[in-house]
Amino acid sequence: MATSSSPRRHVLVVGIDGVRLDLLRTAQTPHLDAVAAAGFLVPVEIDEDTPTMSGPCWATVATGVGVARHGVHGNHFAGHPLAVFPDFATRPAQEDGRRTFVAAGWQPLLLARDGGPLFAAPARLSYVAPRADTCEDWEACDDQVTAEAVHVLGSDDPEVSFVYLGAVDETGHLLGCGAAYLSAIERTDQRLGRLLAAVRARPRYAEESWTVIAVTDHGHRDSGGHGGRSVQERTAWIASCGPGIPAGTPGRRLRFQDVAAQVYASLGRTADPHWTLEGLPFATPAPRPAAGLQAVLFDMDGTLVDTEPLGWETARAVSRALGHELTEADEPSVMGRSAADTAHHVHRITGGRAPVEEIEQDLLAGFREQVARGPRPLPGALQLLDALASDGIPLGLVSASHRSVVDLVLADLGPHRFAVTVADGETPRSKPDADPYLAAARALGVDPRSCVAVEDSPAGLASAEAAGCAVLAVPSTAAIPPAARRTVLGGLTAADPQLLRSLVAG
């Protein structure tokens, strides 16, 4: 709460759609340069789970959570759970009664169209529709949005304001990233200057504390357009200055989720843990791993149960039926892999004799049939699970198998043993990518760097280590050498809680 002796806190966020960082640096942008000089301007790499599209990127900026939570995967917002994760203009208005303001010309940001609105219930809003999706009409729209925002900033008392400007993005789409695109960036910088001038002209500006944040959502290809994974498309940026934001590059890489966290911090509003924000205020250093072992995350096939040979035999049978005999050379593309990955491999080596989808279904059906006969826990598996549970260490199961297979195995292992289970298809990517282990750690509320993953295959090993976990490797087929934060044992009978704790402590 502000007192008579403390300045009133205000935040202005300017969202500038589709500005490539490398080309921004060649444009004449004195007003953005001034923000950067008083604070910083740094790149933001759009994470692998987030499409390089306006909808998911602005949703992450506004809510402080990523696509796995806010559920916006494209420019049509339908089916989202945004009511659970309100935007930074709605939450202060609804929960604290603060004056907030949003001005924009893109429909789903403010209107109940295309699955919107993203900004659900700010205290005040201004929607200005462009006459048509042309460069000229979007320039006119941005001028009107800016004029409305200048009026509100000068005559009202919004504590949080979000102003969206879209002309640069439209120019990139229609004309590519040439001279007209640079000119659009420079005109948008002039609009930013008008907004900053309106703030400085406020009658009580000297008694106020203002944080300014400028952010873009994605870049563009040279020819215009985005949605891919090129460096030009996935590199965004944030610029900011204000109280508590030191000048100079922040001490960590920033993410879109950090914008909402900074808005709340600049308001002096402590974020409620129940909001489950994923970002941090800009000046907050990256969290260090909590001391000690926080959780153990187990692979299933070949680690806890003797199902790895069943998967191999199933793949051999499916491939043989298509005229090809799998050999040892195929093991890296089969062992520890999801059914989808194995299906693509079999499809390729058999010359496409059957559709990938059909091969995947045959693999799943055959594997389920074999597992249904009763998987055998590997020596020491149940004893280790029970010993860890007795020590109060949370356990997770992270598998590249389909959920139907995981549930069959859990029926024998005991589903009560695991606080969380992750199966193939329940994350954007399966092993060897980090997503499954990151999802398990997130569900447990722990830092993956303070977890030990127990794995048997190179694919699983790559997944766990990419997530930052320490690893206990118990190879089932391919040899696995020791390495930093990786211990190799011949089996689980030699493992105990003390050893697993030492892997994190070391």
Side-chain angles (χ1 to χ4, degrees):
M1 293 288 293
T3 68
S4 58
S5 59
S6 62
R8 285 181 56 81
R9 301 172 183 236
H10 299 264
V11 184
L12 170 63
V13 183
V14 183
I16 309 174
D17 205 306
V19 179
R20 259 178 60 171
L21 178 58
D22 59 334
L23 298 181
L24 172 66
R25 288 170 170 157
T26 70
Q28 299 297 312
T29 55
H31 303 292
L32 188 59
D33 293 346
V35 172
F40 63 80
L41 190 158
V42 295
V44 172
E45 184 173 349
I46 300 172
D47 64 55
E48 291 291 335
D49 297 344
T50 305
T52 56
M53 300 172 67
S54 294
C57 291
W58 287 126
T60 301
V61 168
T63 64
V65 300
V67 293
R69 288 184 175 174
H70 63 59
V72 177
H73 294 271
N75 286 345
H76 196 289
F77 291 23
H80 60 71
L82 289 173
V84 182
F85 304 104
D87 62 90
F88 59 63
T90 294
R91 195 188 293 276
Q94 291 186 330
E95 297 191 11
D96 303 335
R98 296 177 187 260
R99 295 289 297 169
T100 63
F101 168 64
V102 177
W106 188 37
Q107 288 185 356
L109 294 182
L110 286 177
L111 302 185
R113 299 181 189 175
D114 297 326
L118 171 58
F119 290 90
R124 180 169 180 170
L125 61 86
S126 177
Y127 172 69
V128 180
R131 291 180 179 273
D133 285 332
T134 67
C135 298
E136 295 77 13
D137 286 317
W138 266 101
E139 291 282 352
C141 173
D142 280 2
D143 280 339
Q144 290 179 273
V145 166
T146 301
E148 179 65 15
V150 165
H151 170 72
V152 172
L153 289 169
S155 62
D156 202 347
D157 195 28
E159 294 179 70
V160 178
S161 301
F162 177 74
V163 181
Y164 169 87
L165 303 173
V168 176
D169 184 59
E170 191 67 20
T171 301
H173 279 291
L174 296 178
L175 301 178
C177 295
Y181 182 78
L182 290 176
S183 295
I185 292 174
E186 292 174 355
R187 285 190 294 272
T188 295
D189 182 71
Q190 294 169 12
R191 297 182 186 106
L192 173 62
R194 291 167 58 193
L195 297 171
L196 297 176
V199 167
R200 291 190 294 268
R202 287 171 56 85
R204 305 191 63 164
Y205 174 71
E207 304 168 24
E208 296 172 338
S209 170
W210 279 84
T211 297
V212 175
I213 303 171
V215 56
T216 200
D217 54 340
H218 54 71
H220 271 271
R221 298 185 292 273
D222 286 341
S223 59
H226 49 89
R229 301 306 304 175
S230 70
V231 172
Q232 290 83 1
E233 292 166 272
R234 71 173 189 267
T235 302
W237 51 266
I238 296 172
S240 184
C241 64
I245 300 176
T249 303
R252 61 181 174 86
R253 291 187 175 184
L254 298 189
R255 304 186 302 158
F256 283 148
Q257 290 92 326
D258 296 329
V259 172
Q262 182 61 53
V263 169
Y264 299 124
S266 293
L267 288 177
R269 178 63 158 94
T270 301
D272 190 314
H274 291 94
W275 298 353
T276 62
L277 294 182
E278 296 173 353
L280 297 168
F282 298 150
T284 303
R288 303 177 73 86
L293 177 63
Q294 291 185 302
V296 179
L297 308 175
F298 284 90
D299 171 56
M300 187 179 77
D301 299 303
T303 299
L304 290 176
V305 289
D306 193 21
T307 51
E308 203 74 275
L310 305 182
W312 173 250
E313 288 305 318
T314 301
R316 287 186 65 188
V318 171
S319 182
R320 188 182 299 121
L322 295 173
H324 180 86
E325 189 69 38
L326 293 182
T327 68
E328 190 175 304
D330 297 296
E331 288 185 0
S333 300
V334 175
M335 305 299 281
R337 297 279 185 162
S338 67
D341 286 349
T342 302
H344 278 92
H345 177 69
V346 172
H347 179 266
R348 181 178 59 80
I349 62 176
T350 58
R353 293 175 188 170
V356 171
E357 297 78 12
E358 181 180 315
I359 296 172
E360 182 178 354
Q361 290 305 310
D362 289 345
L363 289 168
L364 283 172
F367 191 42
R368 275 196 300 265
E369 182 179 344
Q370 297 212 48
V371 171
R373 297 170 188 161
R376 296 178 301 168
L378 286 161
L382 297 182
Q383 293 87 339
L384 179 58
L385 292 174
D386 289 341
L388 291 167
S390 295
D391 276 15
I393 299 172
L395 304 181
L397 187 71
V398 182
S399 179
S401 286
H402 190 269
R403 171 55 64 181
S404 60
V405 175
V406 170
D407 287 344
L408 281 173
V409 174
L410 281 174
D412 286 297
L413 284 180
H416 65 280
R417 298 180 186 274
F418 302 97
V420 63
T421 63
V422 177
D424 177 49
E426 295 175 356
T427 56
R429 295 161 301 180
S430 191
K431 300 177 184 180
D433 287 296
D435 295 17
Y437 278 100
L438 292 175
R442 189 161 51 240
L444 288 168
V446 298
D447 188 326
R449 294 170 294 175
S450 294
C451 296
V452 171
V454 186
E455 272 285 357
D456 74 301
S457 70
L461 185 82
S463 174
E465 291 185 337
C469 301
V471 173
L472 173 63
V474 285
S476 60
T477 53
I480 297 175
R485 303 197 81 218
R486 182 199 306 166
T487 297
V488 182
L489 294 179
L492 295 180
T493 55
D496 57 30
Q498 183 177 352
L499 171 65
L500 295 176
R501 283 194 175 92
S502 72
L503 301 184
V504 170

